[in-house]
Amino acid sequence: MHTSLPDFEMPNEEQVHLAAESFRLLSDPTRIKILWALLQGESSVACLAELAGAAPTAVSQHLAKLRLAGLVRGRREGTFVYYSAADEHVRRLLAEGLFHADHIDRQDRSDHAAHSPAATTQVAPSAAS
């Protein structure tokens, strides 16, 4: 069936594994907060910890993993390291994930409202009137 599609091509194994690893690293809410903050500009561990509502040691561990995966970069200035998102791909990936989450959340709320008993039950006029 797929052979009849002119430009259909499956990704190679390395691409699949690297993409899966990136998605796995993005499956943590603290990492998403850290990346979102870094997409706004370069930041230190202390600032990221405050923004993400996490301990600096935890943020450092998250940053180390994100850096190994190529999602963030570090720049040393004296004794401080300032982090930034690796590139525009990270911005698009995170923006799409958040947009999708918002879309699902809105859809769930509208589906829930449309199927709630208050929305689907019609009150019959009183027989006494």
Side-chain angles (χ1 to χ4, degrees):
M1 173 177 166
H2 292 92
T3 56
S4 64
L5 299 173
D7 293 324
F8 180 80
E9 200 174 307
M10 289 291 290
N12 67 43
E13 287 301 310
E14 183 180 6
Q15 289 171 317
V16 169
H17 288 290
L18 290 172
E21 180 64 12
S22 292
F23 287 131
R24 185 182 69 77
L25 286 169
L26 292 174
S27 68
D28 184 282
T30 300
R31 289 186 194 138
I32 290 181
K33 290 177 187 178
I34 290 168
L35 275 175
W36 187 256
L38 292 176
L39 288 168
Q40 312 316 306
E42 191 176 67
S43 191
S44 68
V45 170
C47 185
L48 291 169
E50 185 179 324
L51 290 169
T57 54
V59 170
S60 289
Q61 291 173 358
H62 287 301
L63 286 165
K65 291 175 183 174
L66 292 168
R67 193 169 65 184
L68 284 173
L71 296 171
V72 302
R73 292 192 177 123
R75 177 183 65 81
R76 184 168 294 279
E77 189 174 295
T79 58
F80 290 97
V81 177
Y82 294 95
Y83 293 90
S84 60
D87 55 32
E88 189 59 31
H89 296 115
V90 175
R91 176 181 301 283
R92 288 197 307 257
L93 184 63
L94 194 56
E96 282 297 322
L98 292 169
F99 177 77
H100 181 69
D102 188 49
H103 178 74
I104 288 172
D105 184 47
R106 289 174 196 253
Q107 185 64 42
D108 285 348
R109 282 185 282 175
S110 71
D111 286 351
H112 179 68
H115 294 99
S116 70
T120 57
T121 304
Q122 293 186 359
V123 178
S126 170
S129 10

